[in-house]
């Protein structure tokens, strides 16, 4: 019996994420977590075959699931069958389950970019000159398109909305992200230039900012894990949710000041220790999502500066 818990750390070190370096972040994070856990890295395609030899699986910068959909679905099934501890737990209601939650949040009146998925509901959206159309399974702005109002409202020019979401392309001043471990806020970052989504700087949130972010953490009901709440600040000053990333949020640790970065690592290690003391998880619901091309965040060419083309 080993003295330290074994962690299988799932990451795609070679994934070419625009404006982000998955490999650097995960090399740093594993170098620190290795001080407290026996840890091995693997590609997401290999996780199902390897996970039985570990006490828990940590899913980190594993890239868009659409690139390995079959393997991810097999991983979910195997984890459910064996009660494997997966961090984040696979019961999240945010992006890990697809983007239908944006419809639910819109209907419930939460501060989220208004979202519909049927032609019959387009009238429920606020008037806009242009609209974002994106698939419900999301990653890295793949499949995102922007249509003007005439294209969207004319059935002869409107693309099929089967499996798609529609949102208004709204004015915004900047995007801001709030990072949590379990239910504890860690730090916030923002992109002062709307045209440069991944050029981030530290952001000092106000009390209302944190109240905004925490309402979505509370809504998601994950007891353990790392979550990122992405929002945009509108021209009128309000925050609207862009996405709740609860599967493999990129953390931008390279731009986080060292004291906060060290505190984040300590919080993650403590969270993992608590997680490992819980009973192995119950079977998770089957949330297999049909293979599609999918979107993530604002992508160059998909939105004019100062407008939100929201996604993952």
């Amino acid at each position: 019996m080993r003295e330290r818990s074994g962690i299988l750390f799932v990451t795609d070190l070679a994934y070419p994420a625009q404006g982000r370096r998955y490999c650097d972040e995960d090399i740093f994070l594993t170098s620190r977590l290795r001080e407290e856990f026996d840890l091995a890295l693997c590609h997401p395609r290999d996780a199902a075959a390897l996970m039985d030899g570990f006490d828990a699986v940590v899913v980190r910068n594993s890239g868009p699931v659409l690139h390995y959909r079959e393997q991810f679905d097999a991983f979910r099934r195997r984890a459910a069958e064996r009660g494997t501890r997966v961090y984040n737990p696979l019961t999240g209601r945010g992006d890990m389950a697809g983007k239908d939650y944006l419809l639910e949040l819109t209907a419930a009146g939460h501060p989220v970019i208004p979202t519909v998925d049927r032609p019959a509901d387009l009238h429920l959206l606020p008037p806009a000159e242009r609209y974002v159309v994106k698939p419900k399974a999301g990653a890295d702005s793949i499949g995102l398109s922007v249509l003007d109002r005439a294209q969207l409202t004319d059935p002869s020019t409107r693309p099929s909305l089967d499996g798609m979401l529609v949102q208004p392309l709204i004015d915004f001043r900047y995007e801001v992200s709030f990072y949590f471990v379990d239910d504890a806020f860690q730090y916030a970052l923002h992109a002062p230039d709307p045209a440069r989504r991944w050029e981030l700087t530290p952001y000092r949130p106000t009390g209302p900012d944190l109240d905004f972010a925490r309402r979505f953490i509370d809504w998601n009901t994950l007891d353990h894990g790392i979550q990122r709440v992405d929002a945009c600040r509108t021209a009128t000053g309000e925050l609207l949710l862009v996405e709740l990333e609860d599967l493999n949020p990129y953390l931008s640790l390279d731009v986080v000041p060292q004291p906060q970065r060290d505190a984040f690592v300590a919080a993650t290690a403590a969270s993992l220790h608590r997680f490992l003391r819980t009973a192995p998880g119950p079977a998770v619901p089957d949330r297999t999502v049909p293979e599609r091309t999918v979107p993530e965040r604002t992508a160059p060419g998909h939105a004019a500066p100062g407008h939100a083309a929201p996604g993952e």
Side-chain angles (χ1 to χ4, degrees):
M1 180 178 178
R2 59 177 170 239
E3 296 180 359
R4 306 200 310 173
S5 296
I7 299 288
L8 183 63
F9 193 99
V10 180
T11 177
D12 184 354
L13 297 176
Y15 179 70
Q18 184 174 10
R20 296 152 286 167
R21 288 186 58 83
Y22 282 9
C23 56
D24 289 350
E25 181 163 283
D26 283 349
I27 289 169
F28 163 75
L29 191 54
T30 54
S31 73
R32 297 289 297 274
L33 293 176
R34 191 169 280 113
E35 297 172 5
E36 301 191 36
F37 305 97
D38 292 336
L39 191 148
L41 280 67
C42 83
H43 190 277
R45 295 179 185 273
D46 303 322
L50 297 175
M51 65 184 183
D52 288 350
F54 296 85
D55 298 302
V57 177
V58 173
V59 179
R60 279 304 311 126
N61 290 320
S62 54
V65 170
L66 82 157
H67 295 318
Y68 52 93
R69 169 59 63 190
E70 182 178 347
Q71 291 87 350
F72 182 73
D73 290 342
F75 167 73
R76 287 186 64 96
R77 287 193 297 270
R78 189 175 183 91
E81 292 166 358
R82 296 174 179 262
T84 302
R85 296 182 183 89
V86 180
Y87 186 98
N88 292 353
L90 296 173
T91 53
R93 302 167 69 191
D95 265 33
M96 75 165 66
K99 294 189 182 295
D100 284 282
Y101 70 97
L102 295 172
L103 299 167
E104 179 181 344
L105 292 172
T106 296
H110 289 277
V112 57
I113 295 175
T115 307
V116 300
D117 66 345
R118 301 187 306 162
D121 292 335
L122 291 174
H123 70 283
L124 299 176
L125 296 177
E129 292 300 317
R130 293 184 294 168
Y131 294 83
V132 175
V133 178
K134 62 182 186 178
K136 293 180 178 181
D140 271 356
S141 293
I142 304 168
L144 183 150
S145 61
V146 177
L147 302 179
D148 62 34
R149 185 173 184 83
Q151 290 175 298
L152 187 64
T153 56
D154 185 345
S156 67
T157 58
R158 182 176 61 227
S160 171
L161 298 185
D162 182 32
M164 308 295 282
L165 298 176
V166 182
Q167 299 173 317
L169 188 66
I170 62 171
D171 288 328
F172 74 94
R173 289 158 48 190
Y174 56 81
E175 291 185 74
V176 58
S177 295
F178 306 89
Y179 301 77
F180 288 78
V181 174
D182 299 347
D183 61 353
F185 171 72
Q186 300 299 312
Y187 59 90
L189 300 171
H190 83 308
D193 184 347
R196 300 176 183 274
R197 173 62 184 96
W198 290 108
E199 293 187 11
L200 298 169
T201 60
Y203 176 85
R204 180 174 294 181
T206 65
D209 289 346
L210 291 179
D211 290 342
F212 166 89
R214 284 199 174 99
R215 73 186 293 165
F216 297 108
I217 298 297
D218 293 343
W219 173 85
N220 203 17
T221 67
L222 281 182
D223 292 330
H224 306 276
I226 299 168
Q227 298 182 70
R228 191 186 74 221
V229 179
D230 291 340
C232 63
R233 179 81 67 185
T234 69
T236 57
E238 67 176 326
L239 285 176
L240 294 178
L241 182 74
V242 174
E243 71 171 1
L244 175 59
E245 175 52 78
D246 59 353
L247 176 62
N248 53 2
Y250 185 68
L251 305 172
S252 300
L253 290 174
D254 58 322
V255 299
V256 176
Q258 184 169 344
Q260 289 176 298
R261 186 164 61 243
D262 291 342
F264 174 85
V265 172
T268 300
S271 172
L272 281 168
H273 282 300
R274 291 191 296 270
F275 183 56
L276 285 159
R277 291 195 293 270
T278 65
V284 298
D286 181 7
R287 287 176 172 147
T288 300
V289 179
E291 181 67 65
R292 302 181 180 278
T293 54
V294 295
E296 201 172 50
R297 336 183 129 265
T298 303
H302 286 157
H307 291 76
E312 212 172 64

